[in-house]
Amino acid sequence: MTIFEATISTFLIDFFQSNLNKLNSLKKANTYLKEICGIKSFFANTENLSNFQKAIDEYVLISQESNRRAYGDFQTNDDLTVAISKHLLNEGISPEFLIEPTCGKGNFIIAALKRFSTLKKIVGIEIYFPYIWETKFKILELFLNKKNICKPEIEIIHSDIFDFNLSKLPINNKNLLIIGNPPWVTNSELGVLNSKNLPQKSNFKKHKGLDAITGKGNFDIAEFITLQLLKTFDKFNGNLAFLVKSSVVKNILFEQKRNVFNMADIQKMNIDAKKEFNVSVDACLFLARLNNTAEYTCEEINFYSKEKKTNFGWHKNKFVYSISNYNKTENIDGKSPFVWRQGMKHDCSKIMEIERFNENFINGFKQETALEKDLLYGLLKSSDLKYETIDFYRKTTIVTQKKVGQDTSYIKEKYPLTYEYLNMNRAYFDRRKSSIYKGKPPFSIFGIGDYSFTKYKIAISGMYKRTTFSLVLPENDKPLMLDDTCYFIGFDNIKFAKIIQKILNSYVVQNFLKAIIFPEAKRPITKDILMRIDIEKAYHIILSDTDLFNKKDRQNFADLIETKEPNSKQMTLF
């Protein structure tokens, strides 16, 4: 049953109907209910109370549930909140002041009331008004049924956490527990939904240049909320216990070197998000003790079995996934002598990516078209990089420029069929949201330069945990392109490509990558990761330890290092 769009039990309906005489004024109702359950201002105003009385009198119960995706809402089930509360209690955590910044239906608050007898004050903040009522109803029912549990003062506040002034909460010297399950969505996902549940836009991670306006400008809402809480409360005695995506903990640890929050005993306790929330995402309970000397590493543990998996974070001034494995492979952590590049980016796949169809081509909208061949190149995506050697492709792409910003007017004169096709679909290009295309020639692409047209490429997917490097061969002397989910080094000499591939697929580099790659990341392999591989050092370690390289290999490597071929023609945009 629902009232004010909030679930209410028949037990509570009966309770309110039996006590209507105690609800005939705002002051009387709030005083009576606070005595029972500790909630301050159960009814916010007279109108609130009047509407409630009318609903109870008429027994107006409406079954209704809102679309909660606009709030990134994954409500924590009772079993998990109980298990987390028990774990915190077993760890000696005894809070006096509890804050839940996005309290939802109040499940964490109920679990805390049942277990923490030390509580003196609870503040729950929630943007979705029906959940305010549902939380209040649950708390009231708890105290009606359990007379002997601790009854702190409780405030359930209807507010957007992004606008709420947390620093004004009267914590004083009370032992603090910040607990909850903030939204599991990114700012871009909420933007697509036109949600208003967003923080004010700012480059809060201090990204520079293209990083600030492309992929790295996207952030997790839970990460933003967690960082704001740490900024506000890291000097208060207490603990943080948040359910978040695993990537959030990694990002917070990475930024810890810059932020230097006063937190220690940092743990990432992995949970089964499919079981708990029916979503396929890597998630965890993020724990930290506040008002302690800043620490920069995190212990990763299974929440259910308490089995330890790894220690990650800042170690020897490097950010690594496994400190123990890194200690064995740190010798090759340096700077790649060759610049790793990201593949081409166009944000218009339905138009720019095509397939053979009879004698013509067909696009993502099933439009058939005839095109000149000069601007057509075979295209590889992350899912295509499964083999050590690749000389085939599924998709074809149109490459409109040979360098970023190149004038595209030549297409109309030299390739009229291609121009007619692109111009017919110009609206799709104009709708591209990324600011990198603003002020650029029509049909512009990014991640393109002389390096894109090298015949041989050593490539790897950024999206998969697999760390095998593929040798990409040309088709009839025409290079294959890669999309922006892939990274590569380009060569015009196959002997150079093969020796680099052999080094990258060696045990030395593979073990190093396992020490620094975060397998749960949305994009486990990045340019930053690849640029840390000191290929020259790796070669010399392999040379001294194995007979992997023959005389010809050694000569090829010497020639390559001398010429540094891949660096000579590459731009530094990506």
Side-chain angles (χ1 to χ4, degrees), residues 347-374:
D347 293 311
C348 203
S349 61
K350 295 281 189 180
I351 305 302
M352 295 290 275
E353 296 176 11
I354 55 181
E355 295 182 26
R356 274 281 179 196
F357 185 77
N358 299 325
E359 296 299 314
N360 295 321
F361 296 91
I362 190 168
N363 68 15
F365 294 114
K366 305 302 179 184
Q367 298 172 343
E368 185 178 352
T369 186
L371 300 169
E372 296 90 355
K373 293 182 180 179
D374 284 9

PDB file of all heavy atoms in Angstrom, residues 347-374:
ATOM      1  N   ASP A 347      32.332   9.615 -33.349  1.00  0.00           N
ATOM      2  CA  ASP A 347      31.040   9.758 -32.672  1.00  0.00           C
ATOM      3  C   ASP A 347      29.869   9.783 -33.658  1.00  0.00           C
ATOM      4  O   ASP A 347      28.869  10.478 -33.439  1.00  0.00           O
ATOM      5  CB  ASP A 347      31.012  11.037 -31.812  1.00  0.00           C
ATOM      6  CG  ASP A 347      31.966  10.944 -30.635  1.00  0.00           C
ATOM      7  OD1 ASP A 347      31.929   9.923 -29.935  1.00  0.00           O
ATOM      8  OD2 ASP A 347      32.758  11.889 -30.439  1.00  0.00           O
ATOM      9  N   CYS A 348      29.996   9.013 -34.724  1.00  0.00           N
ATOM     10  CA  CYS A 348      28.938   8.960 -35.727  1.00  0.00           C
ATOM     11  C   CYS A 348      28.985   7.590 -36.420  1.00  0.00           C
ATOM     12  O   CYS A 348      29.041   7.502 -37.643  1.00  0.00           O
ATOM     13  CB  CYS A 348      29.136  10.086 -36.738  1.00  0.00           C
ATOM     14  SG  CYS A 348      27.633  10.564 -37.609  1.00  0.00           S
ATOM     15  N   SER A 349      28.959   6.529 -35.625  1.00  0.00           N
ATOM     16  CA  SER A 349      29.210   5.192 -36.146  1.00  0.00           C
ATOM     17  C   SER A 349      28.173   4.731 -37.169  1.00  0.00           C
ATOM     18  O   SER A 349      28.508   4.005 -38.112  1.00  0.00           O
ATOM     19  CB  SER A 349      29.288   4.181 -34.995  1.00  0.00           C
ATOM     20  OG  SER A 349      28.074   4.146 -34.281  1.00  0.00           O
ATOM     21  N   LYS A 350      26.922   5.146 -37.019  1.00  0.00           N
ATOM     22  CA  LYS A 350      25.874   4.702 -37.942  1.00  0.00           C
ATOM     23  C   LYS A 350      26.143   5.171 -39.369  1.00  0.00           C
ATOM     24  O   LYS A 350      25.700   4.555 -40.342  1.00  0.00           O
ATOM     25  CB  LYS A 350      24.509   5.222 -37.488  1.00  0.00           C
ATOM     26  CG  LYS A 350      24.010   4.673 -36.173  1.00  0.00           C
ATOM     27  CD  LYS A 350      23.428   3.284 -36.339  1.00  0.00           C
ATOM     28  CE  LYS A 350      22.744   2.831 -35.059  1.00  0.00           C
ATOM     29  NZ  LYS A 350      22.179   1.481 -35.192  1.00  0.00           N
ATOM     30  N   ILE A 351      26.859   6.274 -39.492  1.00  0.00           N
ATOM     31  CA  ILE A 351      27.168   6.844 -40.809  1.00  0.00           C
ATOM     32  C   ILE A 351      28.585   6.499 -41.255  1.00  0.00           C
ATOM     33  O   ILE A 351      28.821   6.112 -42.397  1.00  0.00           O
ATOM     34  CB  ILE A 351      27.001   8.380 -40.786  1.00  0.00           C
ATOM     35  CG1 ILE A 351      25.596   8.753 -40.302  1.00  0.00           C
ATOM     36  CG2 ILE A 351      27.294   8.982 -42.162  1.00  0.00           C
ATOM     37  CD1 ILE A 351      24.472   8.180 -41.135  1.00  0.00           C
ATOM     38  N   MET A 352      29.535   6.592 -40.336  1.00  0.00           N
ATOM     39  CA  MET A 352      30.955   6.456 -40.695  1.00  0.00           C
ATOM     40  C   MET A 352      31.429   5.010 -40.782  1.00  0.00           C
ATOM     41  O   MET A 352      32.465   4.735 -41.378  1.00  0.00           O
ATOM     42  CB  MET A 352      31.812   7.221 -39.685  1.00  0.00           C
ATOM     43  CG  MET A 352      31.587   8.721 -39.709  1.00  0.00           C
ATOM     44  SD  MET A 352      32.227   9.493 -41.191  1.00  0.00           S
ATOM     45  CE  MET A 352      33.943   9.738 -40.709  1.00  0.00           C
ATOM     46  N   GLU A 353      30.707   4.089 -40.172  1.00  0.00           N
ATOM     47  CA  GLU A 353      31.100   2.680 -40.209  1.00  0.00           C
ATOM     48  C   GLU A 353      30.129   1.916 -41.095  1.00  0.00           C
ATOM     49  O   GLU A 353      28.921   1.894 -40.828  1.00  0.00           O
ATOM     50  CB  GLU A 353      31.148   2.103 -38.796  1.00  0.00           C
ATOM     51  CG  GLU A 353      32.204   2.771 -37.942  1.00  0.00           C
ATOM     52  CD  GLU A 353      32.204   2.294 -36.498  1.00  0.00           C
ATOM     53  OE1 GLU A 353      31.528   1.288 -36.201  1.00  0.00           O
ATOM     54  OE2 GLU A 353      32.890   2.936 -35.679  1.00  0.00           O
ATOM     55  N   ILE A 354      30.655   1.296 -42.121  1.00  0.00           N
ATOM     56  CA  ILE A 354      29.826   0.673 -43.141  1.00  0.00           C
ATOM     57  C   ILE A 354      30.312  -0.743 -43.420  1.00  0.00           C
ATOM     58  O   ILE A 354      31.411  -1.129 -43.007  1.00  0.00           O
ATOM     59  CB  ILE A 354      29.844   1.508 -44.448  1.00  0.00           C
ATOM     60  CG1 ILE A 354      31.295   1.722 -44.909  1.00  0.00           C
ATOM     61  CG2 ILE A 354      29.136   2.839 -44.247  1.00  0.00           C
ATOM     62  CD1 ILE A 354      31.424   2.548 -46.163  1.00  0.00           C
ATOM     63  N   GLU A 355      29.488  -1.506 -44.135  1.00  0.00           N
ATOM     64  CA  GLU A 355      29.839  -2.872 -44.512  1.00  0.00           C
ATOM     65  C   GLU A 355      29.524  -3.092 -45.983  1.00  0.00           C
ATOM     66  O   GLU A 355      28.673  -2.409 -46.575  1.00  0.00           O
ATOM     67  CB  GLU A 355      29.054  -3.875 -43.660  1.00  0.00           C
ATOM     68  CG  GLU A 355      29.395  -3.828 -42.185  1.00  0.00           C
ATOM     69  CD  GLU A 355      28.628  -4.874 -41.378  1.00  0.00           C
ATOM     70  OE1 GLU A 355      28.251  -5.907 -41.974  1.00  0.00           O
ATOM     71  OE2 GLU A 355      28.399  -4.655 -40.191  1.00  0.00           O
ATOM     72  N   ARG A 356      30.244  -4.046 -46.583  1.00  0.00           N
ATOM     73  CA  ARG A 356      30.005  -4.415 -47.972  1.00  0.00           C
ATOM     74  C   ARG A 356      28.575  -4.945 -48.141  1.00  0.00           C
ATOM     75  O   ARG A 356      28.086  -5.709 -47.314  1.00  0.00           O
ATOM     76  CB  ARG A 356      30.988  -5.493 -48.407  1.00  0.00           C
ATOM     77  CG  ARG A 356      32.310  -4.945 -48.910  1.00  0.00           C
ATOM     78  CD  ARG A 356      32.147  -4.460 -50.323  1.00  0.00           C
ATOM     79  NE  ARG A 356      33.390  -3.897 -50.839  1.00  0.00           N
ATOM     80  CZ  ARG A 356      33.442  -3.140 -51.920  1.00  0.00           C
ATOM     81  NH1 ARG A 356      32.321  -2.828 -52.558  1.00  0.00           N
ATOM     82  NH2 ARG A 356      34.578  -2.676 -52.357  1.00  0.00           N
ATOM     83  N   PHE A 357      27.930  -4.512 -49.225  1.00  0.00           N
ATOM     84  CA  PHE A 357      26.590  -5.004 -49.527  1.00  0.00           C
ATOM     85  C   PHE A 357      26.441  -5.016 -51.043  1.00  0.00           C
ATOM     86  O   PHE A 357      26.373  -3.955 -51.678  1.00  0.00           O
ATOM     87  CB  PHE A 357      25.532  -4.094 -48.887  1.00  0.00           C
ATOM     88  CG  PHE A 357      24.127  -4.599 -49.044  1.00  0.00           C
ATOM     89  CD1 PHE A 357      23.667  -5.640 -48.257  1.00  0.00           C
ATOM     90  CD2 PHE A 357      23.263  -4.021 -49.981  1.00  0.00           C
ATOM     91  CE1 PHE A 357      22.367  -6.103 -48.392  1.00  0.00           C
ATOM     92  CE2 PHE A 357      21.970  -4.485 -50.125  1.00  0.00           C
ATOM     93  CZ  PHE A 357      21.519  -5.530 -49.329  1.00  0.00           C
ATOM     94  N   ASN A 358      26.412  -6.220 -51.613  1.00  0.00           N
ATOM     95  CA  ASN A 358      26.443  -6.373 -53.073  1.00  0.00           C
ATOM     96  C   ASN A 358      27.678  -5.650 -53.624  1.00  0.00           C
ATOM     97  O   ASN A 358      28.772  -5.863 -53.152  1.00  0.00           O
ATOM     98  CB  ASN A 358      25.134  -5.861 -53.698  1.00  0.00           C
ATOM     99  CG  ASN A 358      23.923  -6.644 -53.197  1.00  0.00           C
ATOM    100  OD1 ASN A 358      24.020  -7.851 -52.960  1.00  0.00           O
ATOM    101  ND2 ASN A 358      22.797  -5.963 -53.051  1.00  0.00           N
ATOM    102  N   GLU A 359      27.502  -4.751 -54.542  1.00  0.00           N
ATOM    103  CA  GLU A 359      28.634  -3.988 -55.079  1.00  0.00           C
ATOM    104  C   GLU A 359      28.818  -2.655 -54.368  1.00  0.00           C
ATOM    105  O   GLU A 359      29.738  -1.901 -54.683  1.00  0.00           O
ATOM    106  CB  GLU A 359      28.428  -3.738 -56.584  1.00  0.00           C
ATOM    107  CG  GLU A 359      28.421  -4.998 -57.437  1.00  0.00           C
ATOM    108  CD  GLU A 359      29.740  -5.751 -57.349  1.00  0.00           C
ATOM    109  OE1 GLU A 359      30.798  -5.113 -57.448  1.00  0.00           O
ATOM    110  OE2 GLU A 359      29.710  -6.980 -57.154  1.00  0.00           O
ATOM    111  N   ASN A 360      27.941  -2.380 -53.416  1.00  0.00           N
ATOM    112  CA  ASN A 360      27.971  -1.096 -52.724  1.00  0.00           C
ATOM    113  C   ASN A 360      28.271  -1.296 -51.235  1.00  0.00           C
ATOM    114  O   ASN A 360      28.867  -2.291 -50.837  1.00  0.00           O
ATOM    115  CB  ASN A 360      26.631  -0.379 -52.916  1.00  0.00           C
ATOM    116  CG  ASN A 360      26.393  -0.008 -54.360  1.00  0.00           C
ATOM    117  OD1 ASN A 360      27.321   0.392 -55.055  1.00  0.00           O
ATOM    118  ND2 ASN A 360      25.153  -0.140 -54.824  1.00  0.00           N
ATOM    119  N   PHE A 361      27.818  -0.326 -50.432  1.00  0.00           N
ATOM    120  CA  PHE A 361      28.014  -0.391 -48.986  1.00  0.00           C
ATOM    121  C   PHE A 361      26.684  -0.095 -48.300  1.00  0.00           C
ATOM    122  O   PHE A 361      25.806   0.566 -48.849  1.00  0.00           O
ATOM    123  CB  PHE A 361      29.067   0.624 -48.541  1.00  0.00           C
ATOM    124  CG  PHE A 361      30.434   0.351 -49.095  1.00  0.00           C
ATOM    125  CD1 PHE A 361      30.839   0.918 -50.302  1.00  0.00           C
ATOM    126  CD2 PHE A 361      31.314  -0.496 -48.433  1.00  0.00           C
ATOM    127  CE1 PHE A 361      32.091   0.662 -50.817  1.00  0.00           C
ATOM    128  CE2 PHE A 361      32.574  -0.758 -48.946  1.00  0.00           C
ATOM    129  CZ  PHE A 361      32.954  -0.184 -50.147  1.00  0.00           C
ATOM    130  N   ILE A 362      26.563  -0.571 -47.060  1.00  0.00           N
ATOM    131  CA  ILE A 362      25.355  -0.321 -46.273  1.00  0.00           C
ATOM    132  C   ILE A 362      25.773   0.190 -44.896  1.00  0.00           C
ATOM    133  O   ILE A 362      26.743  -0.297 -44.296  1.00  0.00           O
ATOM    134  CB  ILE A 362      24.487  -1.597 -46.169  1.00  0.00           C
ATOM    135  CG1 ILE A 362      23.121  -1.277 -45.565  1.00  0.00           C
ATOM    136  CG2 ILE A 362      25.196  -2.692 -45.377  1.00  0.00           C
ATOM    137  CD1 ILE A 362      22.120  -2.406 -45.708  1.00  0.00           C
ATOM    138  N   ASN A 363      25.059   1.213 -44.400  1.00  0.00           N
ATOM    139  CA  ASN A 363      25.433   1.802 -43.109  1.00  0.00           C
ATOM    140  C   ASN A 363      24.553   1.270 -41.980  1.00  0.00           C
ATOM    141  O   ASN A 363      23.746   0.357 -42.172  1.00  0.00           O
ATOM    142  CB  ASN A 363      25.392   3.335 -43.179  1.00  0.00           C
ATOM    143  CG  ASN A 363      23.986   3.883 -43.349  1.00  0.00           C
ATOM    144  OD1 ASN A 363      22.989   3.192 -43.149  1.00  0.00           O
ATOM    145  ND2 ASN A 363      23.894   5.159 -43.719  1.00  0.00           N
ATOM    146  N   GLY A 364      24.693   1.874 -40.814  1.00  0.00           N
ATOM    147  CA  GLY A 364      23.956   1.403 -39.643  1.00  0.00           C
ATOM    148  C   GLY A 364      22.465   1.629 -39.712  1.00  0.00           C
ATOM    149  O   GLY A 364      21.708   1.049 -38.935  1.00  0.00           O
ATOM    150  N   PHE A 365      22.025   2.498 -40.624  1.00  0.00           N
ATOM    151  CA  PHE A 365      20.599   2.737 -40.843  1.00  0.00           C
ATOM    152  C   PHE A 365      20.059   1.937 -42.024  1.00  0.00           C
ATOM    153  O   PHE A 365      18.958   2.196 -42.508  1.00  0.00           O
ATOM    154  CB  PHE A 365      20.339   4.231 -41.072  1.00  0.00           C
ATOM    155  CG  PHE A 365      20.620   5.081 -39.870  1.00  0.00           C
ATOM    156  CD1 PHE A 365      21.655   6.003 -39.878  1.00  0.00           C
ATOM    157  CD2 PHE A 365      19.853   4.958 -38.724  1.00  0.00           C
ATOM    158  CE1 PHE A 365      21.921   6.799 -38.771  1.00  0.00           C
ATOM    159  CE2 PHE A 365      20.102   5.749 -37.608  1.00  0.00           C
ATOM    160  CZ  PHE A 365      21.139   6.667 -37.632  1.00  0.00           C
ATOM    161  N   LYS A 366      20.874   0.998 -42.498  1.00  0.00           N
ATOM    162  CA  LYS A 366      20.504   0.133 -43.636  1.00  0.00           C
ATOM    163  C   LYS A 366      20.355   0.923 -44.939  1.00  0.00           C
ATOM    164  O   LYS A 366      19.673   0.495 -45.863  1.00  0.00           O
ATOM    165  CB  LYS A 366      19.205  -0.638 -43.344  1.00  0.00           C
ATOM    166  CG  LYS A 366      19.236  -1.461 -42.059  1.00  0.00           C
ATOM    167  CD  LYS A 366      20.353  -2.474 -42.062  1.00  0.00           C
ATOM    168  CE  LYS A 366      20.377  -3.275 -40.770  1.00  0.00           C
ATOM    169  NZ  LYS A 366      21.526  -4.220 -40.711  1.00  0.00           N
ATOM    170  N   GLN A 367      21.015   2.078 -45.009  1.00  0.00           N
ATOM    171  CA  GLN A 367      21.043   2.834 -46.258  1.00  0.00           C
ATOM    172  C   GLN A 367      22.118   2.252 -47.168  1.00  0.00           C
ATOM    173  O   GLN A 367      23.271   2.082 -46.739  1.00  0.00           O
ATOM    174  CB  GLN A 367      21.373   4.314 -45.996  1.00  0.00           C
ATOM    175  CG  GLN A 367      20.378   5.062 -45.143  1.00  0.00           C
ATOM    176  CD  GLN A 367      20.886   6.450 -44.775  1.00  0.00           C
ATOM    177  OE1 GLN A 367      22.071   6.758 -44.884  1.00  0.00           O
ATOM    178  NE2 GLN A 367      19.967   7.311 -44.319  1.00  0.00           N
ATOM    179  N   GLU A 368      21.754   1.967 -48.393  1.00  0.00           N
ATOM    180  CA  GLU A 368      22.736   1.449 -49.354  1.00  0.00           C
ATOM    181  C   GLU A 368      23.297   2.612 -50.155  1.00  0.00           C
ATOM    182  O   GLU A 368      22.574   3.524 -50.559  1.00  0.00           O
ATOM    183  CB  GLU A 368      22.085   0.428 -50.290  1.00  0.00           C
ATOM    184  CG  GLU A 368      23.084  -0.227 -51.240  1.00  0.00           C
ATOM    185  CD  GLU A 368      22.442  -1.272 -52.140  1.00  0.00           C
ATOM    186  OE1 GLU A 368      21.257  -1.598 -51.922  1.00  0.00           O
ATOM    187  OE2 GLU A 368      23.134  -1.752 -53.066  1.00  0.00           O
ATOM    188  N   THR A 369      24.616   2.591 -50.373  1.00  0.00           N
ATOM    189  CA  THR A 369      25.235   3.700 -51.079  1.00  0.00           C
ATOM    190  C   THR A 369      26.471   3.231 -51.839  1.00  0.00           C
ATOM    191  O   THR A 369      27.121   2.254 -51.451  1.00  0.00           O
ATOM    192  CB  THR A 369      25.623   4.825 -50.093  1.00  0.00           C
ATOM    193  OG1 THR A 369      26.108   5.950 -50.819  1.00  0.00           O
ATOM    194  CG2 THR A 369      26.705   4.358 -49.121  1.00  0.00           C
ATOM    195  N   ALA A 370      26.796   3.943 -52.889  1.00  0.00           N
ATOM    196  CA  ALA A 370      28.041   3.720 -53.637  1.00  0.00           C
ATOM    197  C   ALA A 370      29.045   4.778 -53.203  1.00  0.00           C
ATOM    198  O   ALA A 370      28.695   5.954 -53.048  1.00  0.00           O
ATOM    199  CB  ALA A 370      27.781   3.814 -55.136  1.00  0.00           C
ATOM    200  N   LEU A 371      30.292   4.361 -52.965  1.00  0.00           N
ATOM    201  CA  LEU A 371      31.329   5.275 -52.488  1.00  0.00           C
ATOM    202  C   LEU A 371      32.640   5.025 -53.231  1.00  0.00           C
ATOM    203  O   LEU A 371      32.939   3.882 -53.599  1.00  0.00           O
ATOM    204  CB  LEU A 371      31.569   5.092 -50.984  1.00  0.00           C
ATOM    205  CG  LEU A 371      30.388   5.338 -50.044  1.00  0.00           C
ATOM    206  CD1 LEU A 371      30.732   4.846 -48.648  1.00  0.00           C
ATOM    207  CD2 LEU A 371      30.009   6.814 -50.014  1.00  0.00           C
ATOM    208  N   GLU A 372      33.415   6.096 -53.419  1.00  0.00           N
ATOM    209  CA  GLU A 372      34.778   5.915 -53.933  1.00  0.00           C
ATOM    210  C   GLU A 372      35.620   5.185 -52.887  1.00  0.00           C
ATOM    211  O   GLU A 372      35.393   5.344 -51.685  1.00  0.00           O
ATOM    212  CB  GLU A 372      35.412   7.260 -54.272  1.00  0.00           C
ATOM    213  CG  GLU A 372      34.726   8.036 -55.388  1.00  0.00           C
ATOM    214  CD  GLU A 372      33.634   8.972 -54.891  1.00  0.00           C
ATOM    215  OE1 GLU A 372      33.345   8.936 -53.674  1.00  0.00           O
ATOM    216  OE2 GLU A 372      33.073   9.737 -55.701  1.00  0.00           O
ATOM    217  N   LYS A 373      36.614   4.460 -53.319  1.00  0.00           N
ATOM    218  CA  LYS A 373      37.384   3.614 -52.403  1.00  0.00           C
ATOM    219  C   LYS A 373      38.524   4.340 -51.689  1.00  0.00           C
ATOM    220  O   LYS A 373      39.019   3.865 -50.669  1.00  0.00           O
ATOM    221  CB  LYS A 373      37.948   2.415 -53.164  1.00  0.00           C
ATOM    222  CG  LYS A 373      36.885   1.450 -53.659  1.00  0.00           C
ATOM    223  CD  LYS A 373      37.496   0.253 -54.358  1.00  0.00           C
ATOM    224  CE  LYS A 373      36.413  -0.707 -54.845  1.00  0.00           C
ATOM    225  NZ  LYS A 373      36.991  -1.886 -55.548  1.00  0.00           N
ATOM    226  N   ASP A 374      38.938   5.485 -52.221  1.00  0.00           N
ATOM    227  CA  ASP A 374      40.160   6.117 -51.685  1.00  0.00           C
ATOM    228  C   ASP A 374      40.066   6.457 -50.199  1.00  0.00           C
ATOM    229  O   ASP A 374      41.057   6.357 -49.463  1.00  0.00           O
ATOM    230  CB  ASP A 374      40.480   7.390 -52.470  1.00  0.00           C
ATOM    231  CG  ASP A 374      41.091   7.088 -53.824  1.00  0.00           C
ATOM    232  OD1 ASP A 374      41.095   5.892 -54.208  1.00  0.00           O
ATOM    233  OD2 ASP A 374      41.553   8.028 -54.503  1.00  0.00           O
TER     234      ASP A 374
END
